[in-house]
Structure formats: structure tokens, C-alpha cells
Amino acid sequence: MGGGRAQVNKAHKTRFASKASRHAHKIDKVRSGKPESSHRSAVKGARAARIQQSKAIRDKKRAALLKEKRSSIGSSGAPRVIVLVGLSSSANVGSLAKDLLTFAEGCDGKLRSSTVASPTYKLRTTVLQAPYGDLTSCMELAKVADLLAFVLPANSLYSNDSSSPVDEFGSQCLSVFRAMGLPSTAVFIRDLPEDNKSRQELKKAATSFLSAELPEDCKFYLADTNDDLHKFMWLFKEQHLSSPHWRNQRPYVMSEQVCIKPDDNTGLCTLLVSGYLRAHNLSVNQPVHVSGAGDFQLSQIDVLKDPCPLNERKSSDVMETEDNGIQIVNTFVPDSSNQEPLLVENVPDPLAGEQTWPTEEDMEEANINNKQKKLVKRKLPRGTSEYQAAWIVDDTDDEDNDSDNDNQAGSGMVIDEQGHADQGSDGSDIDAVSHFTEKFDEETVGDTEMADEENLTKEQIEAEIKKIKEANAEDEEFPDEVETPLDVPAKKRFAKYRGLKSFRTSSWDPKESLPPDYARIFAFDNFTRTQKHVLAKIAELDGETKDCALVGSYVRLHVTNIPTDVASKLCDPSRRIPVVVSGLLQHESKMSVLHFSIKKHDSYEAPIKSKETLIFNVGFRQFTARPLFSSDNINCNKHKMERFLHHGRFSVASVYAPICFPPLPLIVLKNRDGEQPAIAAVGSLKSVDPDRIILKKIVLTGYPQRVSKLKAIVRYMFHNPEDVKWFKPVELWTKHGRRGRIKETVGTHGAMKCIFNSSIQQHDTVCMSLFKRAYPKWPEQLYQV
């Protein structure tokens, strides 16, 4: 093939190897002192350590899963809660609840309670019905559900009157439940035909229709016959139930029985709530939250004998028996030294801001500061002596020396070195016109509150609503633009505003000029570290038995100092939902500034203004708030206020509210006259931070009267020369992208000569941006029962 040509192999590339590696085979490995395979053994040891670590983690998870399964299924765990929700008005939820309870109990007698024990399936079950049409009650029941079961009548799948088996209220419930965080879900299909083929076809139709609305692990059950219910009960017993993460962080009790123990003529009482303790152990020293009523303390926890046991046994550990037959197993009383105080608001010291006579240290510090100010270098003409330099006055306006002292002391805004503009040093002028500022701030779009509807006629209310809708449309088309008033000088009207050279990089002190409400709230040095410490503290309670009721036990909570009228509403027989008492984490009773990531719900058409009264559902809590909406800037510590919550985008809602630790879902409701509250928005808790800076932006506009290349005469932005001089340091910009500044006043009606960085056109609009810090409104009443 190749003839007489000899094979030539490639030379070994020894020039890329080191000298030590080329002579390694000549060195005796015993004398070198290095093990034969030190690197290989090190790798082998690290791999073994990783395998051992992963095995330990796997065993820990398996043990936790077995513990959870035993506690949820066995006699030591609380009954599993099934909440039945009808997806349409034709769904008969009551008959299904009765069939489930009767079948689980195994007798045809009269049902005494919504909780039954089934010796056949070795399972205890609580079945609750969500009232159709009452969205608030459905939400409260979904918060405590272990299995959220939707009831779908089969006749709605092939009826001709509607194209969808889920009506408007059903789709609204599905949307809210998804925003809250769904537990384990199931779908019961009722009113099926007798033949098996039609039953299976209807089940396939329901699965194909609802599979996109529900999680992937949602199960579909036929629920007409006893065989269908038997199949469901066996699968439900073995099912691993999932629950929202926020619910697993807090202990809670869903009431089986509620009663009042009145106090002595104080207008307060003690609420006795009996039920099974879930999720975590509950300490008697821990404050609790009663859903819709507020935060309170416990005076006592009684561990009672289980009223619904799986196996009837004579218990020998009963301490005492009350007159009504209730047997008490154990009692816990709070320890005054360890009980967490119920602090809601900080009590400010009115003398904390008083100025005292300066000490010698303060005087020395002031002298040092004055000397440092004198050492500031100035540009002086060559050959100027120190005596002559003392007589030289700093020139602050090199270009406009002939402008009749436009920048006199106290007559204009001052831009500091950090790049933001503030008012002049004359504070008496601002104090004298504070009532003007407050008056016009109330008239600014988005800050107004609708007048008292009780004093308005129907025509006036309709006109007010029309005005709000027009303001919402105007805010979307011309955001932040306001008109300068003719009867009040702009320096008085906008006395609280300042200019910023750069919204992103200019500094703004978060502790500057805080409102009085900030003296009533609490703040954290490091919120993330505090949350980690608080959650670790709750985990420690699960391993303790001192002063703690164990999870799964049947307890009676003595909640003290509840107003009698509030407690009577909670005990009202017409109340269709149970009372939920949840344990609070450390600091969760204190007020602070909470920020929520929020989005307007698709079904809500009306505009939502900033500082409008809304109902916030955050975890187990429900309270009223007046949120301030703002944008969320990732690369900036300042955020622009939004006057309205707009469709199709996320905003941040800041409110004064009790401290909560994320993650927590948010459902925002809006009250309507004579109707059920409507879903206004959904979201989640973002952070707790009183130092978050929210700036309200306004834009003053003017129009070029005469244009000459880079210069222009602008009018209608101000109406007197004093305002032009006051706002002279603030930068101007145009809608066509030009940047400029005010050079001097022209005439006596507020016209001004401006110079720009590029040629300006006659049809352009000249703008000036001003900012002030905005704060949410303190709610008039936090809880409404």
C-alpha cells in the first residue's frame, strides 16, 4: 500500500512537561516521603464524606415525614379538615357534607358535630361547608382547610344554558384561592347518570375543563354512591396533604366551641375557644391573634380530654372534672417574667426633642467644626494676601452678575453638593404658609378623600365617582403634571418640595423630617437576621413541654381583655365560620411600615387611589389600611409614588400595620354599599422597612413664547418674578429631550429666559420636576368585626 515508506510516529511532547514529572519514575517513592496515591485517597475521602452527609440529610427528611404522617393519621393528630366549595349555584354542598359525615361515622343516626371519628378507616375528619356567595367566609375557611374540595354538578357539564360549568363566583373563588396558596385539592362530581360509560365520560370532561385551573396533583372523584365515598376515604387516609408555607410557621386553633366569660363591669371579657391545636406547640406566654378581632394575651390554657377519640379508653390522667362534664387533663398559667408583652404602638417621649443647654464637649465640637469650615480652600487671584482674601465675597453666580441679586439669602432653592435641592434657610416663611401647603396637598390628584357619603346626595356621589375616574384617566395620560395656582405664590404652594439633580444618585436622608406617626412604630436594625432568630425560637418550642400545649391536643384557650361587643359577635349563633386563634411570632403585635408587592385584580374595574381605605387579608390577619402605592426601583433607594393602582403591572403598597414575617399572601378587598366586598388586588408581603423612601413627583409645565437657538422665553410655568427666582437652581427639561436652566426673569408676570443644551423648538413643552417624601395614612380603625 505505502510501498517502501517506513512508518513515522509523532514525537512525544516532553517540552510541555515539567522536569520533575519527566524524572518522577527515577525517584524512589519510599524515600520521597509521599504516599503512593495521596491525591486519589483525598478525593476518595471527600467523596465518602459527601455520601455520608447526603445520607444523613435523607434520613432526617424521612424521619420528619414519618413523624408528620403518624401525627396526622393516628389518634394523637388533629382531625383532617375538608372544606367543600361549590363552583356554581346548582352545586348541592349540604347533601354531600351530610353524606360524607354519615358514611365516615358509620351510623345512620343524627349527626352531633361536624367532626367524626371513623374506626373503620382509623381517621378523624372535620367537614365544613363554604357558604355560596360569601367570599369573605370562603377565604377564612380556605385558610384552615387541609383538603379544599370543589363540588361540581354533572348536569352543568352538558347543560345548554351556560357554556361553562363554573359561574362567576366560582371563578372568583378559584382566583382568590390560588393567590392565597392552595392546600391539597380535590374535585367531587355529583348528580351523575347511572350507566358507567356516561359517568366516565363526564369525569373526563370535568378533568379536561378544570385541570388548567387547579394544581397537577388535584384528584377527581365521583361522589354519588357509597362505593364512591368508600374509595375516596381510603385514598384520603393515605394521602400526604400539603399546606401553604405561611400556615406551617404558626400554631393555630380552629374553634369547635366558643363561649364568653364576662369580667366585672369593665366592658371587657374573656373569650373561651376550644379546639384542636395544629402546626406547632403553643406557649401560654405567647400572644395570640383572633381573626378579625385583634391581638390579645392568654390567661390560661386548659388541655381537655379529647371529645372525639378514635378508641374509647378510660383515661387515668384526668386532673379534674367541671360541672358540665368537661374533663381537664392539664392546665398552663403564664409566667409574668417570661410572658411576652403585648406592645402595639411605641409611646413617644414628648421631651425627647427638647433642646438643652450645650455642654463643654458640645462647645468644643462646635469650635472644631467652625475651624474646619474656615479651612475650605477658595480660588484667589495670584498675589492676594491673607488680609485681602478675608474681604473677598464668594461669587455664587459667575454668569449672571447683572441679574439684580437673583440668589439672595432666603430667596431661592439651594442645590447641595450631593445633588438635591432644598428650601432656603428662612424657616419662618414655610411655617407661615404651612396651612396653604396642607390645603393644596389635599387638592392634589390622588391625595383627596371622597367626601362623607352620608352627607351627599346620589347625584353628588355620582359626580364624585366621575371625577375620580377622570382623574385616573388623566394620570395615565399626563402623569404627575400639576398647574401652578394663580392666587398663591408657587414658593408657598410647593414649599415642601425640592429638586433633584438625579433621581437615582442624589442623596435623601431617610431620617429627615419624619411625621409624628413614625414615633409610634418600631423598626429593625437587621430584619432578615431577626426573622431567622424568631423562626428558630418557634422551632425550639416544638421540643419543649414546659408551659406549652402539645400539637394535636384538644385545648381551651382563655383569651383575655376582649371587648364584650366584639366577643358577642364572634359567639353569634348565625356566624357560619369557625373562630380561628393563631399564635403570634415574636414582635408580630407591634406596628411598623409594611410593603406589599401588589397587582390589581382583573375583575375589578373601578380606580383605586392611594390612601384609600381597603381591607387587607394577610395570612390569618384581616385589618383595614390606607396604602400608599409606589414603583419598585431595583437599582435605586428612592421610589416614585403612584397616585393610582393601574392595571397590568405590579406596584408596591406601603401601609401602617402590625409586623408580619414573609412569605405571606395578600388579598385586598374593597367594601361596597349593601353588597359583599369585591376583590380589588392580590399580592404578597415584600418587606418591613420604615426607611424606604417614597417620593411624590410633580411636574410644572411652561411653553416657549419666543425661541432663538439655545435660548427661549418661557411663560405660564410661574406667575410672578419671585417664584422664578426661588426655583432658579432647579434643572429644566423638555418633552423632546432637551436639558436646561433658568437664566433670568422677564417682565412682571412670571415669564423667564431659559438656556438649553441644544436647539429648542417652538412646539416643545418645558418641564420642571419637584419631589417630596410621601407617607401612608394611619388607619382610623385597625380591626372591624
Side-chain angles (χ1 to χ4, degrees), residues 73-75 116-119 121-124 306 308-312:
I73 294 178
S75 59
V116 296
S118 176
Y121 303 101
K122 296 181 181 179
L123 181 69
R124 293 189 295 178
D306 197 334
C308 188
L310 273 176
N311 300 316
E312 287 287 350

Side-chain angles (χ1 to χ4, degrees), residues 14 214 460 573:
T14 55
L214 297 172
Q460 289 174 327

Side-chain angles (χ1 to χ4, degrees), residues 117-299:
S118 176
T120 305
Y121 303 101
K122 296 181 181 179
L123 181 69
R124 293 189 295 178
T125 310
T126 301
V127 181
L128 301 175
Q129 307 174 36
Y132 180 84
D134 189 350
L135 182 62
T136 306
S137 298
C138 292
M139 288 171 50
E140 294 298 320
L141 289 173
K143 292 176 184 179
V144 297
D146 293 322
L147 179 70
L148 198 58
F150 299 99
V151 182
L152 186 67
N155 52 16
S156 64
L157 293 171
Y158 50 82
S159 59
N160 297 324
D161 54 345
S162 63
S163 59
S164 171
V166 181
D167 60 7
E168 183 181 356
F169 179 76
S171 61
Q172 201 174 35
C173 286
L174 286 172
S175 175
V176 172
F177 295 158
R178 284 196 300 267
M180 287 173 51
L182 283 170
S184 297
T185 55
V187 177
F188 288 122
I189 306 173
R190 297 275 285 179
D191 304 329
L192 292 162
E194 295 182 0
D195 58 304
N196 191 34
K197 183 178 179 181
S198 300
R199 289 161 62 93
Q200 295 302 324
E201 287 179 354
L202 289 173
K203 183 179 178 180
K204 287 182 180 179
T207 304
S208 63
F209 182 81
L210 290 176
S211 58
E213 301 287 337
L214 297 172
E216 294 180 357
D217 58 350
C218 178
K219 300 184 183 302
F220 290 78
Y221 299 99
L222 306 180
D224 267 344
T225 63
N226 286 342
D227 292 338
D228 297 335
L229 297 180
H230 173 72
K231 180 180 179 182
F232 162 72
M233 291 299 293
W234 273 113
L235 294 175
F236 178 58
K237 174 193 171 184
E238 299 296 332
Q239 184 179 359
H240 172 67
L241 299 178
S242 61
S243 57
H245 178 67
W246 60 268
R247 198 174 74 186
N248 293 333
Q249 290 183 338
R250 297 162 178 82
Y252 66 97
V253 173
M254 185 186 71
S255 67
E256 301 281 342
Q257 185 179 0
V258 184
C259 58
I260 297 177
K261 180 182 177 182
D263 293 345
D264 299 333
N265 299 326
T266 58
L268 303 175
C269 66
T270 299
L271 187 70
L272 306 181
V273 181
S274 302
Y276 292 94
L277 181 59
R278 293 174 164 89
H280 289 280
N281 295 349
L282 178 64
S283 173
V284 71
N285 300 316
Q286 191 175 351
V288 295
H289 174 78
V290 181
S291 293
D295 302 335
F296 304 96
Q297 285 183 321
L298 296 174
S299 63

Side-chain angles (χ1 to χ4, degrees), residues 604 607-608 612-615 668-672 676-680:
Y604 195 77
I608 305 175
E612 186 177 359
T613 301
L614 300 171
I615 302 173
V668 181
L669 303 178
K670 182 73 174 73
N671 277 328
R672 296 183 293 184
Q676 287 289 327
I679 310 173

Side-chain angles (χ1 to χ4, degrees), residues 344-346 510-511 514 517-530 587 590-595 656-657 659 661 687-692 773:
V344 179
E345 298 180 14
N346 183 31
K511 307 295 185 183
L514 296 176
D517 289 336
Y518 262 55
R520 304 163 63 182
I521 65 174
F522 295 85
F524 297 101
D525 291 334
N526 190 328
F527 181 74
T528 305
R529 182 178 60 195
T530 303
H587 308 300
K590 302 171 183 175
M591 295 288 287
S592 188
V593 180
L594 276 63
H595 307 285
Y656 290 116
I659 292 171
F661 292 99
S687 64
V688 180
D689 184 15
D691 291 338
R692 188 176 189 270
R773 188 171 177 185

Side-chain angles (χ1 to χ4, degrees), residues 655-759:
V655 298
Y656 290 116
I659 292 171
C660 302
F661 292 99
L664 279 175
L666 169 68
I667 306 294
V668 181
L669 303 178
K670 182 73 174 73
N671 277 328
R672 296 183 293 184
D673 295 334
E675 299 181 18
Q676 287 289 327
I679 310 173
V682 295
S684 60
L685 178 60
K686 182 180 177 67
S687 64
V688 180
D689 184 15
D691 291 338
R692 188 176 189 270
I693 300 173
I694 302 173
L695 299 183
K696 179 181 178 182
K697 177 184 177 183
I698 62 170
V699 177
L700 306 181
T701 55
Y703 305 95
Q705 184 179 12
R706 290 196 298 272
V707 174
S708 176
K709 295 183 180 178
L710 304 182
K711 299 178 182 179
I713 303 296
V714 180
R715 59 178 180 176
Y716 300 138
M717 183 178 290
F718 305 108
H719 303 296
N720 58 70
E722 287 76 15
D723 290 341
V724 177
K725 295 176 183 178
W726 178 264
F727 290 98
K728 185 176 179 181
V730 184
E731 187 180 23
L732 302 175
W733 56 275
T734 71
K735 293 188 176 181
H736 286 189
R738 309 293 187 265
R739 294 279 174 177
R741 59 182 178 84
I742 300 173
K743 190 172 183 182
E744 60 184 8
T745 62
V746 176
T748 60
H749 290 80
M752 55 189 180
K753 183 185 290 185
C754 305
I755 186 168
F756 296 90
N757 61 349
S758 183
S759 299

